[in-house]
Each structure stands twice: as structure tokens, then as C-alpha cells.
Amino acid sequence: MAQQETQNGDSIKADAEITFTAVKLQVLVEAPKANDAVQFYKAAFGAVETGRTTQPKRKAEQELPHIISAQLQLAGSTIIVSDSLMTLHRMPSLSLTRVVKTGGTGITVCLETEDAEAAISKAVAAGAVAEGEILEGDGACCGAGRVGKVKDPYGLVWVISSPAKKSNTDVEA
Amino acid sequence: MAQQETQNGDSIKADAEITFTAVKLQVLVEAPKANDAVQFYKAAFGAVETGRTTQPKRKAEQELPHIISAQLQLAGSTIIVSDSLMTLHRMPSLSLTRVVKTGGTGITVCLETEDAEAAISKAVAAGAVAEGEILEGDGACCGAGRVGKVKDPYGLVWVISSPAKKSNTDVEA
């Protein structure tokens, strides 16, 4: 299959080589409310929790363990619920505490594929904007692997992940 | 199966009787950009359009036909893309034109079930807030049928629909 060249010189795979294997919703709620949200989705919609990944509890910082991801099943779809941490930045000169959202709340869509780099490059070539680096995943929506984000021209954030780093590509986002 | 009573006296069905058959994402973009969004999702992610419902073009009001719903398939999931209309309200006393969003942009999740009224009542009993009336659907995410919305305690809007009005229930949300 022929390789395409993007404007910044990245080599991306042609359409037939990029296949998405899963679409998952990720609901980000302000920490530490993810656990409440999971209970709500169980009670309201009959969602079934199939797994949960948490960070160890740290004294004096948070009462509840930070939920990296709770996996829910609903009508054949996977919905991920995660705590979105808010970082407090104190501004001494103003004697104010300014709250800066580091993760945001809301919903993103997670796409799983075999080659996150190639998929992200293709999305960027089509008009999306890469958000941050492609990193080794933290399990937030897809387990260990390569994870990157793009924002589409309509404001929606897509998380694109692949299960392991591909050694046959040297694309850097 | 026993019936449950909610605080406002609605009779809702017990868990085993409410089953969701599909979860669909609905992406709402500011009209008339839904068509652009569809083209983007095809180019960026290889989504396949499987159907489209539009409103007839009206002269002088809109150049492009309003897309009620364009159905995309991606990795076994359905993603609906819709134009979200902005209604202009002129305020003569201020000599200003105030733009009021009637639909909003962003993403909602559509849940399909056999009995939208019962499902919405259960969600409200669990802590969600009903948004508007349950109406005969306009095909936005689910074809003809009963459609209602709830906002969950975490800010996410869920559209809950059923294919036809159930005659064996008298629940009003």
C-alpha cells in the first residue's frame, strides 16, 4: 500500500491500513466523584461494572482513591468513567487560590486501533489538531499502550490508542 | 415483577424490565457544519455514512439543508452527526441581536430501549433531571418514536428513546 506524505513530512498509512477496533465513551467527572457517577449509571441505566483501575490513596490529598478508569458495559458498548483531577494553583500576590482544570470534565471518545501514531497523523492531515504528545498509556481508556489525543474542528476530543508501540514506524507527533 | 414508586408517585418498572438495546453517540455541531463534520469523520477515521435525514432547504434562511441526522458507522458503533440550529432573537429595546442557542453543540449519548418513559422515570429516580417533555421523535438519533432527555448529576445529557409509544404504561415524565 502506498504511503502518503502529510504537510509536515510525516509518513502516514493509506486508508486500508488503518482500522479502528473499538469506540468507547470516556466520561470525565471532577474528582473524586467518579465513584458516585459509576453508582449512578448502575442505578439509572443498569450499567454493569466490569473492571476498575485506581491510584493508591494518598493521605491528606484525597479521601477516595483516584479512579483512573472504571469500565462499564451498557447495551454492548463500553463506557469509561474517570476522575478528572483539578490542580490548585495558589497565587500569593493576589492572595487568591486559582483553580486550574488539568483534565477537564465532560466526554471524550476513545478509538482503539493497531497503530495510534498512524491514525493520529491521518486525523491531523484531515484537519484535526494534535493535543500533547503520544505517550505510553496510563490505562485511562485502553490499558497499557500508546495513547494520543486530537481535537477535531468541531471541538470534540478523540483519544486514539493502540495496544503496544509499533516498531515499524518512526512517526513522532 | 414488582412496581416501584418514585417520590413523585410515578410507577416505574423494576430493573429487569428495562433493557437498553443500543448506545449511540450524537455529535451536535453548529449549523450548517454537520456536512463538513461528516466529511471530516470519513477522512480522518474512515467512518462510513449509512444514512442521512435532512429538512427541506428553505430559501433565505439557510443555504444548506439542515441535517437532522447523518448516521456513521465506526468500529461497530453508530455515531450520529446533527446540525444544531442557533435561533436569533432580536431585542429591539437594546438595538441588539442576541444569539440564543436552542440546541447547543457538543456530544450527547443516545440510549435506545423499549420504553422510554419507564427508562427516563428510573433515571430521574436515580438522580437525573428530565429536560423537557417526552415527545414523538424527529429522527434525530433514533427514527420515529418516543424521545426524551435527562441530564445526569455530572452534566452529561442522555437522549433516551423507544421505537413506539407503549400503550401498556401511563407514566408521564
Side-chain angles (χ1 to χ4, degrees):
Chain A
M1 186 64 68
Q3 298 284 303
Q4 298 174 333
E5 288 290 325
T6 65
Q7 290 182 333
N8 62 3
D10 285 341
S11 173
I12 62 172
K13 293 184 178 182
D15 289 13
E17 295 184 59
I18 298 175
T19 304
F20 293 100
T21 53
V23 176
K24 298 177 182 177
L25 284 180
Q26 183 177 26
V27 181
L28 296 160
V29 302
E30 183 181 347
K33 295 181 182 172
N35 186 62
D36 292 344
V38 168
Q39 302 311 317
F40 171 79
Y41 296 133
K42 289 180 183 176
F45 304 132
V48 175
E49 184 173 351
T50 57
R52 181 180 291 207
T53 306
T54 59
Q55 279 184 344
K57 185 174 176 179
R58 290 180 293 175
K59 280 184 187 174
E61 291 189 28
Q62 53 199 77
E63 290 297 313
L64 292 171
H66 174 61
I67 295 180
I68 298 173
S69 68
Q71 295 93 42
L72 304 180
Q73 288 293 315
L74 177 58
S77 289
T78 301
I79 297 176
I80 307 291
V81 182
S82 302
D83 274 320
S84 182
L85 287 178
M86 311 284 276
T87 303
L88 292 175
H89 291 272
R90 189 169 290 279
M91 303 174 73
S93 63
L94 297 175
S95 298
L96 289 173
T97 296
R98 184 176 172 204
V99 176
V100 178
K101 284 189 182 184
T102 57
T105 58
I107 193 164
T108 60
V109 189
C110 301
L111 299 177
E112 293 181 2
T113 184
E114 283 302 302
D115 189 339
E117 280 88 348
I120 288 169
S121 293
K122 185 180 170 189
V124 169
V129 176
E131 295 211 319
E133 302 288 317
I134 300 176
L135 301 170
E136 292 299 314
D138 60 359
C141 72
C142 37
R146 303 285 287 168
V147 182
K149 289 182 189 176
V150 297
K151 181 178 279 189
D152 74 27
Y154 313 97
L156 187 60
V157 174
W158 301 75
V159 176
I160 298 179
S161 69
S162 52
K165 185 174 182 178
K166 308 287 281 188
S167 60
N168 61 346
T169 177
D170 55 1
V171 175
E172 296 293 333
Chain B
M1 184 65 68
Q3 299 284 303
Q4 299 175 334
E5 288 290 324
T6 64
Q7 289 183 333
N8 62 3
D10 286 340
S11 173
I12 61 171
K13 294 183 176 182
D15 288 14
E17 294 184 59
I18 297 175
T19 304
F20 293 100
T21 53
V23 176
K24 297 177 181 177
L25 285 181
Q26 184 177 23
V27 181
L28 296 160
V29 303
E30 184 181 345
K33 295 182 184 172
N35 185 64
D36 293 343
V38 168
Q39 302 312 318
F40 170 79
Y41 296 133
K42 289 180 182 176
F45 303 132
V48 175
E49 184 173 352
T50 57
R52 181 181 291 206
T53 306
T54 59
Q55 279 185 343
K57 185 175 177 179
R58 289 180 293 175
K59 281 183 187 174
E61 290 191 28
Q62 53 198 77
E63 289 298 313
L64 291 171
H66 174 60
I67 295 180
I68 298 172
S69 67
Q71 295 93 43
L72 303 180
Q73 289 293 316
L74 178 58
S77 290
T78 301
I79 297 176
I80 307 291
V81 181
S82 302
D83 274 319
S84 182
L85 285 180
M86 311 285 276
T87 303
L88 292 175
H89 289 272
R90 189 168 291 278
M91 302 174 73
S93 64
L94 296 175
S95 297
L96 288 174
T97 297
R98 184 177 172 202
V99 176
V100 178
K101 284 189 183 185
T102 57
T105 57
I107 194 164
T108 60
V109 189
C110 302
L111 299 178
E112 293 182 2
T113 183
E114 282 303 301
D115 189 337
E117 280 87 349
I120 288 169
S121 292
K122 185 181 170 189
V124 169
V129 176
E131 294 212 319
E133 301 289 315
I134 300 176
L135 301 171
E136 292 300 313
D138 60 358
C141 71
C142 37
R146 304 285 286 168
V147 183
K149 289 182 189 177
V150 298
K151 181 178 279 189
D152 73 27
Y154 313 97
L156 187 60
V157 174
W158 301 74
V159 177
I160 298 179
S161 70
S162 53
K165 186 173 182 178
K166 306 288 281 188
S167 59
N168 62 346
T169 176
D170 56 1
V171 174
E172 296 293 332

